Short mmCIF file of all heavy atoms in Angstrom, two decimals:
data_model
loop_
_atom_site.label_atom_id
_atom_site.label_comp_id
_atom_site.label_asym_id
_atom_site.label_seq_id
_atom_site.Cartn_x
_atom_site.Cartn_y
_atom_site.Cartn_z
N MET U 1 -48.85 65.29 116.80
CA MET U 1 -47.41 65.20 116.89
C MET U 1 -46.93 63.83 116.38
O MET U 1 -47.67 62.85 116.33
CB MET U 1 -46.96 65.43 118.34
CG MET U 1 -46.96 64.22 119.26
SD MET U 1 -46.55 64.71 120.95
CE MET U 1 -46.42 63.10 121.71
N VAL U 2 -45.65 63.82 116.02
CA VAL U 2 -45.07 62.60 115.47
C VAL U 2 -44.14 62.01 116.53
O VAL U 2 -43.33 62.72 117.12
CB VAL U 2 -44.27 62.90 114.20
CG1 VAL U 2 -43.67 61.63 113.61
CG2 VAL U 2 -45.17 63.56 113.14
N THR U 3 -44.27 60.68 116.76
CA THR U 3 -43.43 60.06 117.74
C THR U 3 -42.67 58.89 117.10
O THR U 3 -43.06 58.34 116.08
CB THR U 3 -44.25 59.53 118.93
OG1 THR U 3 -45.21 58.61 118.46
CG2 THR U 3 -44.94 60.67 119.69
N GLY U 4 -41.55 58.54 117.72
CA GLY U 4 -40.76 57.41 117.20
C GLY U 4 -39.89 56.86 118.33
O GLY U 4 -40.03 57.28 119.51
N TYR U 5 -38.98 55.98 117.93
CA TYR U 5 -38.11 55.33 118.92
C TYR U 5 -36.72 55.98 118.88
O TYR U 5 -36.09 56.03 117.81
CB TYR U 5 -38.00 53.84 118.60
CG TYR U 5 -37.03 53.08 119.51
CD1 TYR U 5 -37.38 52.81 120.82
CD2 TYR U 5 -35.79 52.68 119.04
CE1 TYR U 5 -36.52 52.15 121.63
CE2 TYR U 5 -34.90 52.00 119.87
CZ TYR U 5 -35.27 51.72 121.18
OH TYR U 5 -34.39 51.07 121.99
N CYS U 6 -36.27 56.47 120.01
CA CYS U 6 -34.94 57.09 120.05
C CYS U 6 -33.91 56.04 120.45
O CYS U 6 -34.00 55.46 121.53
CB CYS U 6 -34.91 58.26 121.05
SG CYS U 6 -33.28 59.00 121.18
N VAL U 7 -32.94 55.76 119.54
CA VAL U 7 -31.92 54.71 119.82
C VAL U 7 -30.98 55.13 120.93
O VAL U 7 -30.41 54.30 121.62
CB VAL U 7 -31.16 54.33 118.57
CG1 VAL U 7 -32.07 53.64 117.55
CG2 VAL U 7 -30.47 55.53 117.92
N LYS U 8 -30.78 56.44 121.08
CA LYS U 8 -29.86 56.92 122.12
C LYS U 8 -30.47 56.79 123.49
O LYS U 8 -29.84 56.30 124.43
CB LYS U 8 -29.46 58.37 121.84
CG LYS U 8 -28.39 58.86 122.76
CD LYS U 8 -27.97 60.28 122.39
CE LYS U 8 -26.92 60.78 123.41
NZ LYS U 8 -26.69 62.21 123.26
N CYS U 9 -31.70 57.23 123.64
CA CYS U 9 -32.38 57.19 124.92
C CYS U 9 -33.01 55.83 125.17
O CYS U 9 -33.42 55.55 126.27
CB CYS U 9 -33.49 58.23 124.99
SG CYS U 9 -32.89 59.93 124.71
N LYS U 10 -33.09 54.98 124.10
CA LYS U 10 -33.76 53.66 124.20
C LYS U 10 -35.18 53.86 124.73
O LYS U 10 -35.64 53.14 125.63
CB LYS U 10 -32.97 52.69 125.07
CG LYS U 10 -31.64 52.30 124.47
CD LYS U 10 -30.99 51.24 125.32
CE LYS U 10 -29.76 50.62 124.62
NZ LYS U 10 -28.69 51.64 124.38
N GLU U 11 -35.86 54.83 124.15
CA GLU U 11 -37.19 55.17 124.63
C GLU U 11 -38.16 55.22 123.45
O GLU U 11 -37.83 55.76 122.40
CB GLU U 11 -37.09 56.55 125.27
CG GLU U 11 -38.28 56.92 126.13
CD GLU U 11 -38.14 58.32 126.71
OE1 GLU U 11 -37.00 58.78 126.87
OE2 GLU U 11 -39.17 58.94 126.97
N LYS U 12 -39.32 54.59 123.64
CA LYS U 12 -40.39 54.63 122.64
C LYS U 12 -41.25 55.81 122.78
O LYS U 12 -41.42 56.33 123.91
CB LYS U 12 -41.28 53.37 122.76
CG LYS U 12 -40.64 52.10 122.24
CD LYS U 12 -41.71 50.98 122.33
CE LYS U 12 -41.05 49.63 122.39
NZ LYS U 12 -41.98 48.58 122.77
N GLY U 13 -41.84 56.23 121.70
CA GLY U 13 -42.88 57.27 121.76
C GLY U 13 -42.32 58.66 122.06
O GLY U 13 -43.06 59.50 122.60
N VAL U 14 -41.07 58.90 121.70
CA VAL U 14 -40.50 60.23 121.94
C VAL U 14 -41.04 61.17 120.85
O VAL U 14 -41.26 60.78 119.72
CB VAL U 14 -38.99 60.24 121.97
CG1 VAL U 14 -38.44 59.32 123.03
CG2 VAL U 14 -38.38 59.91 120.60
N GLU U 15 -41.19 62.45 121.23
CA GLU U 15 -41.70 63.42 120.27
C GLU U 15 -40.59 63.91 119.35
O GLU U 15 -39.48 64.23 119.79
CB GLU U 15 -42.29 64.61 121.01
CG GLU U 15 -42.97 65.59 120.07
CD GLU U 15 -43.73 66.67 120.80
OE1 GLU U 15 -43.81 66.61 122.05
OE2 GLU U 15 -44.21 67.57 120.13
N LEU U 16 -40.87 63.94 118.05
CA LEU U 16 -39.91 64.43 117.07
C LEU U 16 -40.09 65.94 116.89
O LEU U 16 -41.21 66.41 116.71
CB LEU U 16 -40.12 63.74 115.70
CG LEU U 16 -39.47 62.38 115.51
CD1 LEU U 16 -40.02 61.36 116.45
CD2 LEU U 16 -39.67 61.93 114.08
N SER U 17 -38.98 66.66 116.91
CA SER U 17 -39.05 68.08 116.59
C SER U 17 -38.84 68.28 115.10
O SER U 17 -38.03 67.58 114.48
CB SER U 17 -38.02 68.88 117.41
OG SER U 17 -36.71 68.48 117.05
N ALA U 18 -39.58 69.19 114.53
CA ALA U 18 -39.52 69.49 113.08
C ALA U 18 -39.54 68.26 112.20
O ALA U 18 -38.64 68.00 111.40
CB ALA U 18 -38.26 70.33 112.77
N PRO U 19 -40.55 67.41 112.37
CA PRO U 19 -40.61 66.18 111.59
C PRO U 19 -40.81 66.41 110.11
O PRO U 19 -41.52 67.35 109.71
CB PRO U 19 -41.80 65.41 112.20
CG PRO U 19 -42.68 66.48 112.75
CD PRO U 19 -41.71 67.56 113.23
N GLU U 20 -40.17 65.57 109.28
CA GLU U 20 -40.38 65.57 107.84
C GLU U 20 -40.93 64.21 107.47
O GLU U 20 -40.44 63.22 107.91
CB GLU U 20 -39.05 65.77 107.10
CG GLU U 20 -38.44 67.14 107.33
CD GLU U 20 -37.08 67.27 106.63
OE1 GLU U 20 -36.66 66.31 105.98
OE2 GLU U 20 -36.51 68.36 106.74
N ILE U 21 -41.95 64.22 106.61
CA ILE U 21 -42.55 62.98 106.18
C ILE U 21 -41.99 62.63 104.81
O ILE U 21 -42.10 63.39 103.86
CB ILE U 21 -44.10 63.11 106.11
CG1 ILE U 21 -44.66 63.67 107.41
CG2 ILE U 21 -44.71 61.72 105.81
CD1 ILE U 21 -44.35 62.95 108.66
N HIS U 22 -41.37 61.43 104.70
CA HIS U 22 -40.81 60.94 103.46
C HIS U 22 -41.58 59.74 102.99
O HIS U 22 -42.19 59.02 103.81
CB HIS U 22 -39.33 60.52 103.66
CG HIS U 22 -38.44 61.67 104.06
ND1 HIS U 22 -37.72 62.40 103.15
CD2 HIS U 22 -38.19 62.22 105.29
CE1 HIS U 22 -37.04 63.33 103.78
NE2 HIS U 22 -37.30 63.24 105.08
N GLN U 23 -41.54 59.48 101.69
CA GLN U 23 -42.13 58.29 101.17
C GLN U 23 -41.00 57.31 100.83
O GLN U 23 -39.99 57.74 100.24
CB GLN U 23 -42.98 58.57 99.94
CG GLN U 23 -43.91 57.43 99.56
CD GLN U 23 -44.99 57.81 98.59
OE1 GLN U 23 -44.87 58.79 97.88
NE2 GLN U 23 -46.06 57.03 98.53
N THR U 24 -41.16 56.04 101.21
CA THR U 24 -40.10 55.06 100.93
C THR U 24 -40.25 54.51 99.53
O THR U 24 -41.29 54.69 98.90
CB THR U 24 -40.17 53.90 101.94
OG1 THR U 24 -41.37 53.16 101.71
CG2 THR U 24 -40.17 54.41 103.38
N ALA U 25 -39.23 53.79 99.07
CA ALA U 25 -39.23 53.20 97.73
C ALA U 25 -40.38 52.23 97.56
O ALA U 25 -40.88 52.01 96.47
CB ALA U 25 -37.89 52.52 97.48
N LYS U 26 -40.79 51.63 98.68
CA LYS U 26 -41.87 50.62 98.59
C LYS U 26 -43.24 51.25 98.73
O LYS U 26 -44.26 50.58 98.78
CB LYS U 26 -41.69 49.57 99.68
CG LYS U 26 -40.52 48.64 99.42
CD LYS U 26 -40.41 47.58 100.50
CE LYS U 26 -39.25 46.62 100.18
NZ LYS U 26 -39.05 45.65 101.26
N GLY U 27 -43.29 52.59 98.82
CA GLY U 27 -44.58 53.26 98.88
C GLY U 27 -45.10 53.48 100.26
O GLY U 27 -46.20 53.97 100.47
N GLY U 28 -44.28 53.14 101.27
CA GLY U 28 -44.68 53.41 102.65
C GLY U 28 -44.29 54.83 103.03
O GLY U 28 -43.74 55.57 102.24
N TYR U 29 -44.58 55.17 104.23
CA TYR U 29 -44.28 56.51 104.72
C TYR U 29 -43.41 56.46 105.97
O TYR U 29 -43.49 55.51 106.75
CB TYR U 29 -45.57 57.28 105.02
CG TYR U 29 -46.37 57.53 103.77
CD1 TYR U 29 -47.25 56.58 103.32
CD2 TYR U 29 -46.16 58.67 103.05
CE1 TYR U 29 -47.97 56.79 102.14
CE2 TYR U 29 -46.89 58.89 101.86
CZ TYR U 29 -47.79 57.95 101.43
OH TYR U 29 -48.46 58.15 100.28
N MET U 30 -42.53 57.45 106.09
CA MET U 30 -41.56 57.47 107.17
C MET U 30 -41.43 58.91 107.65
O MET U 30 -41.33 59.82 106.84
CB MET U 30 -40.25 56.99 106.62
CG MET U 30 -39.16 56.81 107.62
SD MET U 30 -37.66 56.24 106.82
CE MET U 30 -37.07 57.79 106.17
N ALA U 31 -41.46 59.05 108.95
CA ALA U 31 -41.23 60.35 109.53
C ALA U 31 -39.76 60.43 109.98
O ALA U 31 -39.23 59.46 110.52
CB ALA U 31 -42.14 60.59 110.75
N LYS U 32 -39.13 61.58 109.74
CA LYS U 32 -37.75 61.75 110.14
C LYS U 32 -37.68 63.11 110.89
O LYS U 32 -38.13 64.11 110.36
CB LYS U 32 -36.89 61.75 108.92
CG LYS U 32 -35.42 61.56 109.18
CD LYS U 32 -34.69 61.42 107.85
CE LYS U 32 -33.23 61.25 108.04
NZ LYS U 32 -32.51 61.16 106.77
N GLY U 33 -37.12 63.07 112.07
CA GLY U 33 -36.96 64.28 112.81
C GLY U 33 -35.93 64.10 113.90
O GLY U 33 -35.17 63.12 113.86
N LYS U 34 -35.87 65.01 114.83
CA LYS U 34 -34.93 64.90 115.90
C LYS U 34 -35.68 64.75 117.22
O LYS U 34 -36.70 65.39 117.42
CB LYS U 34 -34.03 66.13 115.96
CG LYS U 34 -32.98 66.16 114.89
CD LYS U 34 -32.03 67.31 115.17
CE LYS U 34 -31.00 67.59 114.10
NZ LYS U 34 -30.29 66.75 113.42
N HIS U 35 -35.12 63.89 118.08
CA HIS U 35 -35.71 63.77 119.42
C HIS U 35 -35.59 65.17 120.08
O HIS U 35 -34.51 65.72 120.16
CB HIS U 35 -34.94 62.72 120.23
CG HIS U 35 -35.50 62.51 121.58
ND1 HIS U 35 -34.86 61.76 122.56
CD2 HIS U 35 -36.66 62.90 122.11
CE1 HIS U 35 -35.60 61.74 123.65
NE2 HIS U 35 -36.71 62.43 123.42
N ALA U 36 -36.72 65.70 120.51
CA ALA U 36 -36.78 67.06 121.04
C ALA U 36 -35.83 67.23 122.23
O ALA U 36 -35.28 68.32 122.44
CB ALA U 36 -38.21 67.38 121.45
N THR U 37 -35.60 66.16 122.99
CA THR U 37 -34.81 66.27 124.22
C THR U 37 -33.31 66.15 123.98
O THR U 37 -32.50 66.93 124.49
CB THR U 37 -35.24 65.20 125.24
OG1 THR U 37 -36.67 65.27 125.41
CG2 THR U 37 -34.57 65.41 126.58
N CYS U 38 -32.89 65.15 123.14
CA CYS U 38 -31.44 64.89 123.05
C CYS U 38 -30.85 65.24 121.67
O CYS U 38 -29.65 65.21 121.50
CB CYS U 38 -31.15 63.41 123.37
SG CYS U 38 -31.61 62.27 122.06
N GLY U 39 -31.69 65.51 120.68
CA GLY U 39 -31.18 65.95 119.36
C GLY U 39 -30.80 64.84 118.43
O GLY U 39 -30.33 65.08 117.31
N THR U 40 -30.95 63.57 118.84
CA THR U 40 -30.67 62.44 117.99
C THR U 40 -31.72 62.32 116.89
O THR U 40 -32.91 62.54 117.16
CB THR U 40 -30.62 61.12 118.82
OG1 THR U 40 -29.59 61.25 119.77
CG2 THR U 40 -30.37 59.90 117.92
N THR U 41 -31.27 61.97 115.67
CA THR U 41 -32.23 61.80 114.58
C THR U 41 -33.08 60.54 114.83
O THR U 41 -32.52 59.46 115.14
CB THR U 41 -31.50 61.67 113.25
OG1 THR U 41 -30.79 62.89 113.04
CG2 THR U 41 -32.47 61.46 112.09
N VAL U 42 -34.35 60.68 114.74
CA VAL U 42 -35.29 59.57 114.98
C VAL U 42 -36.12 59.38 113.73
O VAL U 42 -36.62 60.32 113.12
CB VAL U 42 -36.22 59.89 116.17
CG1 VAL U 42 -37.26 58.79 116.37
CG2 VAL U 42 -35.39 60.11 117.46
N CYS U 43 -36.27 58.10 113.31
CA CYS U 43 -37.13 57.76 112.17
C CYS U 43 -38.26 56.91 112.67
O CYS U 43 -38.09 56.10 113.55
CB CYS U 43 -36.33 56.99 111.11
SG CYS U 43 -35.06 57.98 110.34
N ALA U 44 -39.39 57.06 112.03
CA ALA U 44 -40.55 56.24 112.38
C ALA U 44 -41.33 55.88 111.15
O ALA U 44 -41.63 56.73 110.32
CB ALA U 44 -41.43 56.97 113.37
N MET U 45 -41.61 54.60 110.98
CA MET U 45 -42.47 54.18 109.88
C MET U 45 -43.92 54.55 110.21
O MET U 45 -44.29 54.49 111.37
CB MET U 45 -42.39 52.66 109.67
CG MET U 45 -40.99 52.13 109.36
SD MET U 45 -40.27 52.93 107.90
CE MET U 45 -41.42 52.33 106.63
N MET U 46 -44.68 54.91 109.21
CA MET U 46 -46.08 55.22 109.49
C MET U 46 -46.95 54.88 108.30
O MET U 46 -46.49 54.77 107.18
CB MET U 46 -46.26 56.70 109.89
CG MET U 46 -45.54 57.68 109.01
SD MET U 46 -45.89 59.42 109.42
CE MET U 46 -45.93 59.42 111.20
N SER U 47 -48.22 54.70 108.61
CA SER U 47 -49.21 54.40 107.58
C SER U 47 -49.54 55.69 106.83
O SER U 47 -49.21 56.80 107.28
CB SER U 47 -50.46 53.84 108.21
OG SER U 47 -51.07 54.86 109.00
N LYS U 48 -50.20 55.54 105.68
CA LYS U 48 -50.59 56.73 104.89
C LYS U 48 -51.51 57.63 105.73
O LYS U 48 -51.36 58.85 105.73
CB LYS U 48 -51.28 56.33 103.60
CG LYS U 48 -51.61 57.51 102.74
CD LYS U 48 -52.19 57.11 101.40
CE LYS U 48 -52.29 58.28 100.44
NZ LYS U 48 -52.95 59.46 101.00
N ASP U 49 -52.41 57.02 106.45
CA ASP U 49 -53.36 57.81 107.28
C ASP U 49 -52.57 58.63 108.30
O ASP U 49 -52.85 59.82 108.50
CB ASP U 49 -54.29 56.89 108.04
CG ASP U 49 -55.42 56.37 107.15
OD1 ASP U 49 -55.54 56.84 105.99
OD2 ASP U 49 -56.19 55.50 107.60
N ASN U 50 -51.59 57.99 108.98
CA ASN U 50 -50.82 58.72 109.97
C ASN U 50 -49.95 59.77 109.32
O ASN U 50 -49.73 60.85 109.91
CB ASN U 50 -49.98 57.76 110.79
CG ASN U 50 -50.81 57.01 111.83
OD1 ASN U 50 -51.88 57.48 112.22
ND2 ASN U 50 -50.32 55.87 112.29
N ALA U 51 -49.43 59.49 108.13
CA ALA U 51 -48.59 60.46 107.39
C ALA U 51 -49.44 61.70 107.05
O ALA U 51 -49.03 62.83 107.27
CB ALA U 51 -48.01 59.85 106.13
N ASP U 52 -50.65 61.44 106.54
CA ASP U 52 -51.53 62.57 106.19
C ASP U 52 -51.85 63.39 107.45
O ASP U 52 -51.90 64.63 107.39
CB ASP U 52 -52.83 62.05 105.59
CG ASP U 52 -52.62 61.56 104.14
OD1 ASP U 52 -51.62 61.90 103.52
OD2 ASP U 52 -53.51 60.81 103.66
N LYS U 53 -52.10 62.68 108.54
CA LYS U 53 -52.47 63.36 109.77
C LYS U 53 -51.30 64.20 110.28
O LYS U 53 -51.48 65.34 110.68
CB LYS U 53 -52.87 62.32 110.81
CG LYS U 53 -53.46 62.90 112.08
CD LYS U 53 -54.05 61.80 112.95
CE LYS U 53 -54.58 62.33 114.26
NZ LYS U 53 -53.56 62.90 115.14
N ALA U 54 -50.09 63.64 110.21
CA ALA U 54 -48.91 64.36 110.67
C ALA U 54 -48.68 65.65 109.85
O ALA U 54 -48.35 66.70 110.37
CB ALA U 54 -47.67 63.48 110.60
N ILE U 55 -48.92 65.50 108.53
CA ILE U 55 -48.73 66.68 107.66
C ILE U 55 -49.79 67.75 107.98
O ILE U 55 -49.44 68.93 108.07
CB ILE U 55 -48.80 66.24 106.17
CG1 ILE U 55 -47.58 65.42 105.81
CG2 ILE U 55 -48.91 67.47 105.26
CD1 ILE U 55 -47.71 64.60 104.55
N SER U 56 -51.01 67.31 108.21
CA SER U 56 -52.04 68.31 108.57
C SER U 56 -51.78 68.92 109.93
O SER U 56 -52.24 70.00 110.25
CB SER U 56 -53.44 67.70 108.44
OG SER U 56 -53.63 66.75 109.43
N ASP U 57 -51.02 68.19 110.76
CA ASP U 57 -50.65 68.70 112.07
C ASP U 57 -49.42 69.63 112.02
O ASP U 57 -48.97 70.12 113.05
CB ASP U 57 -50.33 67.56 113.05
CG ASP U 57 -51.58 66.90 113.60
OD1 ASP U 57 -52.68 67.46 113.40
OD2 ASP U 57 -51.46 65.82 114.19
N GLY U 58 -48.81 69.77 110.84
CA GLY U 58 -47.71 70.71 110.71
C GLY U 58 -46.38 70.11 110.36
O GLY U 58 -45.37 70.81 110.25
N ALA U 59 -46.30 68.75 110.17
CA ALA U 59 -45.05 68.15 109.72
C ALA U 59 -44.75 68.56 108.30
O ALA U 59 -45.66 68.85 107.52
CB ALA U 59 -45.14 66.61 109.84
N THR U 60 -43.48 68.60 107.93
CA THR U 60 -43.08 68.96 106.57
C THR U 60 -43.28 67.81 105.62
O THR U 60 -42.86 66.68 105.92
CB THR U 60 -41.59 69.37 106.56
OG1 THR U 60 -41.42 70.41 107.50
CG2 THR U 60 -41.17 69.88 105.20
N LYS U 61 -43.94 68.07 104.49
CA LYS U 61 -44.13 67.06 103.46
C LYS U 61 -42.89 67.02 102.58
O LYS U 61 -42.57 68.02 101.93
CB LYS U 61 -45.38 67.41 102.65
CG LYS U 61 -45.76 66.32 101.65
CD LYS U 61 -47.06 66.72 100.96
CE LYS U 61 -47.38 65.74 99.84
NZ LYS U 61 -48.68 66.03 99.21
N SER U 62 -42.19 65.88 102.51
CA SER U 62 -40.96 65.79 101.74
C SER U 62 -41.03 64.75 100.64
O SER U 62 -40.09 64.00 100.43
CB SER U 62 -39.79 65.47 102.67
OG SER U 62 -39.62 66.51 103.62
N PHE U 63 -42.18 64.68 99.98
CA PHE U 63 -42.28 63.79 98.85
C PHE U 63 -43.20 64.41 97.82
O PHE U 63 -43.90 65.38 98.08
CB PHE U 63 -42.77 62.39 99.24
CG PHE U 63 -44.13 62.37 99.95
CD1 PHE U 63 -45.27 62.29 99.27
CD2 PHE U 63 -44.14 62.47 101.37
CE1 PHE U 63 -46.51 62.27 99.93
CE2 PHE U 63 -45.35 62.48 102.01
CZ PHE U 63 -46.54 62.36 101.32
ZN1 LIG V 101 -33.26 60.78 122.63
#
């Protein structure tokens, strides 16, 4: 699963629903999804290893 920081709940490690993995202009990776509980969009920076793992776990590849 993909987790990130929810600015609305001010909570770390929240689970993202329907995460999409994007690649940034600098070549990094970013997960974008919604906090499963409150529906706020949550973004999380991730390493290539974590991006690959998230995709193999079912996240949408968006690059
Ligand atoms: Zn939230």
